[in-house]
Amino acid sequence: MRVTADDVAARAGVSRSAVSRAFTPGASIQPEKRAHIRAVADELGYRPNLMARGLTGGATGLIAVVVGTISNPYESWFLDVLSQQIRALGLWPLLVPVSPGQEIEPALDHALDYQVDGAVIAAGSVNRKLAERCSSRGAPIVVVGRVLEGGGADSVCCDNHAGMAMIAERLAATGRSRIGWIGGRDETFSNVERFKGLEAALAAQGLALVATRRGDYSVDSGMAQALAMLTGPERPDAIVCGNDAMAIGAISAARRLGIAVPGALAVAGFDDIPAAAWEPYSLTTVANPVARTVEEALRLLARRIAGEAGSPETIRIAPAFRQRASL
Amino acid sequence: MRVTADDVAARAGVSRSAVSRAFTPGASIQPEKRAHIRAVADELGYRPNLMARGLTGGATGLIAVVVGTISNPYESWFLDVLSQQIRALGLWPLLVPVSPGQEIEPALDHALDYQVDGAVIAAGSVNRKLAERCSSRGAPIVVVGRVLEGGGADSVCCDNHAGMAMIAERLAATGRSRIGWIGGRDETFSNVERFKGLEAALAAQGLALVATRRGDYSVDSGMAQALAMLTGPERPDAIVCGNDAMAIGAISAARRLGIAVPGALAVAGFDDIPAAAWEPYSLTTVANPVARTVEEALRLLARRIAGEAGSPETIRIAPAFRQRASL
DNA sequence: CCTGGTTTTGCAAGCGTGTGCAATCATGGT
DNA sequence: ACCATGATTGCACACGCTTGCAAAACCAGG
């Protein structure tokens, strides 16, 4: 049924090893013979079985990609760029979706059973033990969007402090004084870091938060929390959100309440997703550079896959201020 | 280095076959022995190598997922649901991203080299020959979002005609008479079908298109085309777009020109992406049910994987009208 | 205690490929 | 014509697992 290297060998009148070598770059084989074998292979429709190839211990070409809520604008953007770049390297992304709050360990374990060459982890929580288990099973990992505490793996992460500093500066420059914060519900790395970063940066400007609320990174939650904040006693004159989606919700809330943006209320987000630039929002935000993040992550991962040892590296990606109309 | 079935067998004092059977559901093995082997396996950290398992000709558990621009809101939503449901079936999605305009054949071919059990194709163009090649290589496919002309594979597709009929009815009921259309650039299945569907449905209402333009399914292109249309001689009093993203762009264009929506201009989209419900747009659209589409696609695929023959089936998913404020 | 039937078990033969090693071949210098 | 050298080639084993087959172990009935 299936065409194997044996079939090609028989048809081309060579040994099976020759067929294998004809498909192995750099193998020792006469150029004309290689051409002949490949011609015969094409004719028969032969393609090397990657399962068998992976079995011998060589690389499988598979990269596990652990990602959270794909439909989330930032995540889908990230996944888009990441999967393209993985393909550009001649590798294949094996998708490992994890729901928020779900443990990534069992899923990742199972993915490792496919002998993936490495893993990019952009969701869930990772500890040193898990990182080491992956390495010991031959799959180096790189963590994106957070920094591994124990230092068990390379990581790439936006410089959240720097981003928040830019927002705080602009808040101070435009004379805002009653700042509100809408963050995420759980204690994820970037949620915590962005919150602390904002607090510190505000303090440096002689400002402080007058209100703090928690959403779930969705537009709806941003709107609900902003509505509550704007109709409560805190009455901020600026709202900083943990991501753009919630900021978009906050702008909608202000619009519904008849509060002018940026006149009576400034709104800032984080990430610079495409929707931030859509006209009715024109959201001032901080760009979290997806392309550079992905490039660095794959560079680090490729190094490890190539066998380079050395202590884990952390790369901070510098964000960029995107001043639009909302602040 | 790596823990293999041999190691477990030696430690547990049984044969390698026994270990294999302990991990094969339904295999003939004494329950207590199975428990013991699994305990030893856990202790040693043994996990079956799926590459080796796939090599013996059995299932690999891999499903190729061919998808286009992942960052596109509808596609990312679809991918989100699809990947979750694939996992729920105990299978794994192998991502095959293809850029718009790129041939899917080489990429799909390469994915087949991983001995995937099947493929869900939601991007690019597929012909009968390609479908048959996949089947003959043991990977049945299901095509989503279009119907295969030659009938070479199962397909699941939204009933675009029905959706456009709903929009046309509402246009007639609200007295719109000068209808404009903004479609996609290329002759993709759904682009053509939505256009023809709209034309037919309008005709049934005694209406006709006064303007036709082409975007690229992005918000920006929707805005650009709508601006041109609204400042040109055609002056429509309603714009129907091939998807929600372009409709969102059209609403922004109207806002920029000071044209009231829906007062002076009605706007309708297609798909009902989350952003359609965001407050400044409140886009009237047609829901393209993602969950049902995915369910049907996987049901059909599972049938084929189970070996069921029979002529290809086409399933049309009924859309639902979502009346909001823009029409 | 023997017999026929049903599990359970281990052996060994694959699955399709990569690659070390030794044998073969061609080449060129003397 | 002969030998040293280096490029090609084929053999055979390894990779880790599944599974058909036959032997072994078990069970119940007589």
Side-chain angles (χ1 to χ4, degrees):
Chain A
M1 192 77 215
R2 210 191 127 66
V3 183
T4 84
D6 272 314
D7 303 329
V8 178
R11 190 85 148 75
V14 298
S15 75
R16 203 179 44 66
S17 324
V19 177
S20 175
R21 285 191 254 263
F23 283 90
T24 306
S28 169
I29 186 174
Q30 217 170 343
E32 343 157 350
K33 179 169 263 186
R34 159 173 281 158
H36 176 225
I37 291 178
R38 292 192 93 125
V40 172
D42 271 357
E43 183 192 329
L44 262 51
Y46 167 74
R47 318 214 70 208
N49 182 332
L50 294 182
M51 287 278 155
R53 182 176 295 188
L55 183 56
T56 69
T60 57
L62 252 25
I63 301 289
V65 173
V66 180
V67 74
T69 312
I70 299 172
S71 51
N72 170 316
Y74 182 76
E75 299 245 354
S76 70
W77 184 17
F78 174 79
L79 181 59
D80 196 341
V81 175
L82 177 64
S83 58
Q84 296 281 355
Q85 290 204 21
I86 286 179
R87 287 287 300 114
L89 259 46
L91 302 169
W92 290 87
L94 180 66
L95 203 54
V96 182
V98 294
S99 311
Q102 194 185 330
E103 277 301 324
I104 88 171
E105 200 161 330
L108 185 56
D109 258 343
H110 203 149
L112 289 183
D113 296 343
Y114 283 106
Q115 312 291 109
V116 295
D117 293 341
V120 177
I121 302 185
S125 59
V126 184
N127 53 40
R128 192 199 180 93
K129 217 178 72 215
L130 181 58
E132 276 169 0
R133 192 141 54 90
C134 291
S135 303
S136 79
R137 288 187 60 188
I141 69 176
V142 54
V143 182
V144 176
R146 75 219 64 187
V147 174
L148 219 51
E149 325 73 48
D154 293 327
S155 37
V156 180
C157 181
C158 175
D159 189 341
N160 293 308
H161 284 273
M164 282 304 178
M166 295 168 182
I167 292 176
E169 254 171 55
R170 174 78 183 157
L171 286 169
T174 55
R176 309 286 169 168
S177 60
R178 306 185 51 77
I179 321 289
W181 162 256
I182 300 179
R185 193 178 313 288
D186 25 56
E187 302 301 306
T188 62
F189 182 88
S190 74
N191 188 34
V192 171
E193 200 174 67
R194 287 178 188 179
F195 175 65
K196 301 264 185 212
L198 177 63
E199 271 194 322
L202 285 179
Q205 303 285 344
L207 295 169
L209 289 174
V210 300
T212 295
R213 289 182 165 268
R214 289 162 177 267
D216 62 3
Y217 284 118
S218 72
V219 173
D220 284 350
S221 77
M223 172 138 132
Q225 297 305 322
L227 278 176
M229 195 181 275
L230 291 169
T231 54
E234 310 104 330
R235 283 293 166 81
D237 60 5
I239 295 181
V240 180
C241 296
N243 74 346
D244 284 350
M246 291 195 292
I248 281 174
I251 289 179
S252 296
R255 190 180 309 252
R256 182 183 286 188
L257 295 172
I259 298 175
V261 174
L265 178 75
V267 176
F270 207 109
D271 284 344
D272 195 25
I273 61 175
W278 293 355
E279 234 177 78
Y281 304 115
S282 191
L283 179 67
T284 292
T285 185
V286 168
N288 184 353
V290 170
R292 283 222 40 227
T293 303
V294 168
E295 274 161 29
E296 292 294 333
L298 291 182
R299 188 177 61 76
L300 292 176
L301 192 58
R303 268 186 8 185
R304 298 292 177 197
I305 290 176
E308 192 171 318
S311 55
E313 196 169 327
T314 294
I315 296 205
R316 284 286 185 172
I317 304 292
F321 194 60
R322 288 271 187 278
Q323 189 184 321
R324 298 206 179 87
S326 72
L327 166 59
Chain B
M1 191 79 215
R2 210 189 129 66
V3 183
T4 84
D6 272 314
D7 303 329
V8 178
R11 190 85 147 73
V14 297
S15 74
R16 197 188 42 261
S17 327
V19 177
S20 175
R21 285 192 253 263
F23 283 90
T24 307
S28 169
I29 186 175
Q30 218 170 342
E32 342 156 353
K33 179 170 262 185
R34 158 172 284 159
H36 176 227
I37 292 177
R38 293 191 92 125
V40 171
D42 272 357
E43 183 192 328
L44 263 48
Y46 167 74
R47 317 216 73 207
N49 181 331
L50 294 183
M51 287 278 156
R53 180 175 293 184
L55 185 55
T56 70
T60 56
L62 252 27
I63 301 289
V65 173
V66 180
V67 75
T69 313
I70 298 172
S71 53
N72 170 317
Y74 182 76
E75 298 245 356
S76 70
W77 185 17
F78 174 78
L79 181 59
D80 196 339
V81 175
L82 177 64
S83 58
Q84 296 281 355
Q85 290 204 20
I86 286 179
R87 287 289 299 113
L89 260 46
L91 301 169
W92 291 86
L94 180 66
L95 204 53
V96 182
V98 294
S99 310
Q102 194 185 330
E103 278 300 324
I104 89 171
E105 201 161 329
L108 185 55
D109 257 343
H110 204 150
L112 289 183
D113 296 344
Y114 283 107
Q115 313 291 106
V116 295
D117 293 341
V120 177
I121 302 185
S125 59
V126 183
N127 54 39
R128 192 199 180 91
K129 216 177 72 215
L130 182 57
E132 275 167 1
R133 192 141 55 91
C134 291
S135 302
S136 78
R137 288 186 60 188
I141 70 177
V142 55
V143 182
V144 176
R146 76 218 63 186
V147 174
L148 220 51
E149 325 73 49
D154 294 326
S155 39
V156 180
C157 182
C158 176
D159 189 341
N160 293 309
H161 284 273
M164 283 305 179
M166 295 168 182
I167 292 177
E169 253 171 57
R170 173 79 183 158
L171 286 169
T174 55
R176 309 286 170 170
S177 60
R178 304 185 52 77
I179 322 288
W181 162 256
I182 300 178
R185 193 177 314 288
D186 25 57
E187 302 301 305
T188 62
F189 182 89
S190 74
N191 188 32
V192 171
E193 201 174 66
R194 287 178 188 179
F195 175 64
K196 302 264 185 210
L198 178 63
E199 270 193 322
L202 286 177
Q205 301 286 342
L207 294 169
L209 288 175
V210 300
T212 296
R213 290 183 164 267
R214 290 162 177 266
D216 63 3
Y217 284 118
S218 72
V219 172
D220 284 349
S221 77
M223 171 136 133
Q225 298 305 322
L227 277 176
M229 196 181 276
L230 291 169
T231 54
E234 310 104 330
R235 283 291 167 81
D237 60 4
I239 295 181
V240 180
C241 296
N243 75 345
D244 284 350
M246 291 194 293
I248 281 174
I251 289 179
S252 295
R255 190 180 308 254
R256 181 183 287 187
L257 295 172
I259 298 175
V261 174
L265 178 74
V267 176
F270 207 109
D271 284 344
D272 195 23
I273 61 174
W278 293 356
E279 234 176 80
Y281 304 115
S282 192
L283 178 68
T284 293
T285 186
V286 168
N288 184 352
V290 170
R292 283 222 40 227
T293 303
V294 168
E295 275 162 29
E296 293 293 334
L298 290 182
R299 188 177 61 76
L300 291 176
L301 192 58
R303 269 187 7 186
R304 298 290 177 201
I305 291 176
E308 193 171 316
S311 55
E313 197 169 325
T314 294
I315 296 203
R316 284 287 185 171
I317 304 292
F321 194 60
R322 289 271 188 277
Q323 189 186 320
R324 297 204 180 88
S326 73
L327 165 60

